[in-house]
Amino acid sequence: MILVKNISKTYNNKKVVNKIDLNVKKGEIISITGPSGAGKTTLLNLISTLDSPDKNNDSIIKINDIDILSLNDKKLSKFRNTQIGFIFQFHELLPEFTALENVIIPAIIKGEKKDVSLKKAKTLLETLGLSNIINQFPSQLSGGEQQRVAVARALINNPKIIFADEPSGNLDSKSSDLLHKLFFDLREKLNITFIIVTHNKELSNMTDRKLNLVDGKWA
Ligand code: ADP
C-alpha cells in the first residue's frame, strides 16, 4: 500500500528526516511516536505528499503503486484530493462555514455535484453521531465534535489512506477514546489504512505497529 525508501529532508544543513524506509500494508494502522523535534511531522508531510523530500535518485515514495515523486503539482493535488484524507491536531475547519459545508469542501474541489456532496456529507455526519450539529459553525462545537467533523471531511472522497498528526492532541480523554475507536471502526468497515503521529500512549498501544522516531531515524 505504502512503500517508502531512503527519504530524507534537510533543514539548515540538518537531516531532520534521515534515510527513512517504511512499508505499510493495506488496512494497517501504524503509529509514529517519538520526542518533540524528532521529525515526525516532517516525515508525515513527506509521505502524505504535502512536502517533498531531498532530491535523491534512490528515494521512493509509492502509494497504491503510484510513484508520488514523479507526479507534477497538478497530478499531485488531484491524487491528494481523491486518495488521501488528512486529520490534524487543530482540525483546521474553516470558521465561516458550517459543519456540513466544511465536510463537502473536498468533494466540491473534486468536482462532485453540490446536491450529491451534501447528501453524502449528511450521511457521513449522521454515521459519526453528528446529525444534530450539521448546521452549526465550528466555534459552536466542542473539540471532540470539531474533530469528528474533520474526520467526516477526511472521509468524503472515500480515501484509501488517512494521515493524522496528533489527532487527539487537543482533546479530553473521553473525546480521545471516541475518536480512537472511530479510527478502528473505519478500518473495520472501509479497510482504510492509517498512519498516525501521536503522543497518546493509549492510541499508540492500540495500533498494529508502533514506530519510534528519534533524530530523524527509526529507533
Ligand atoms: P516533531 O513532529 O517530531 O516534533 P518536526 O518534524 O516538527 O518534529 O520538526 C523536526 C525538526 O525540523 C525541528 O528541529 C524543527 O524545528 C525543524 N523544522 C521543521 N519544519 C521546518 C521548516 N519548515 N524549516 C526549518 N526547520 C524546520
Side-chain angles (χ1 to χ4, degrees), residues 18-150:
N18 195 350
K19 298 184 182 163
I20 285 292
D21 295 339
L22 177 66
N23 244 312
V24 184
K25 286 191 238 120
K26 188 166 171 55
E28 204 176 5
I29 300 187
I30 72 157
S31 53
I32 299 176
T33 60
S36 188
K40 303 181 297 295
T41 293
T42 305
L43 176 62
L44 197 78
N45 290 347
L46 296 177
I47 304 172
S48 65
T49 80
L50 291 175
D51 198 359
S52 326
D54 295 345
K55 289 244 175 306
N56 180 337
N57 290 337
D58 297 341
S59 296
I60 299 176
I61 303 178
K62 281 191 178 178
I63 300 181
N64 267 338
D65 284 329
I66 295 172
D67 179 3
I68 300 307
L69 299 178
S70 73
L71 299 182
N72 61 27
D73 281 355
K74 196 169 166 219
K75 285 194 169 146
L76 202 53
S77 300
K78 179 151 191 234
F79 178 83
R80 219 181 274 133
N81 175 250
T82 55
Q83 310 268 327
I84 296 178
F86 292 95
I87 300 168
F88 302 98
Q89 176 171 4
F90 299 102
H91 61 77
E92 315 281 354
L93 298 175
L94 299 176
E96 65 276 39
F97 291 102
T98 64
L100 186 62
E101 288 164 347
N102 266 282
V103 174
I104 66 169
I105 290 170
I108 299 296
I109 291 172
K110 186 182 168 189
E112 202 92 76
K113 288 212 179 75
K114 195 166 176 195
D115 55 339
V116 176
S117 309
L118 283 171
K119 201 167 164 214
K120 189 164 178 203
K122 275 185 195 157
T123 309
L124 262 175
L125 287 164
E126 268 167 30
T127 316
L128 301 182
L130 297 168
S131 45
N132 53 337
I133 59 89
I134 60 172
N135 293 319
Q136 300 206 27
F137 291 90
S139 61
Q140 299 171 307
L141 305 176
S142 72
E145 286 168 339
Q146 291 175 6
Q147 198 56 303
R148 276 182 290 142
V149 173

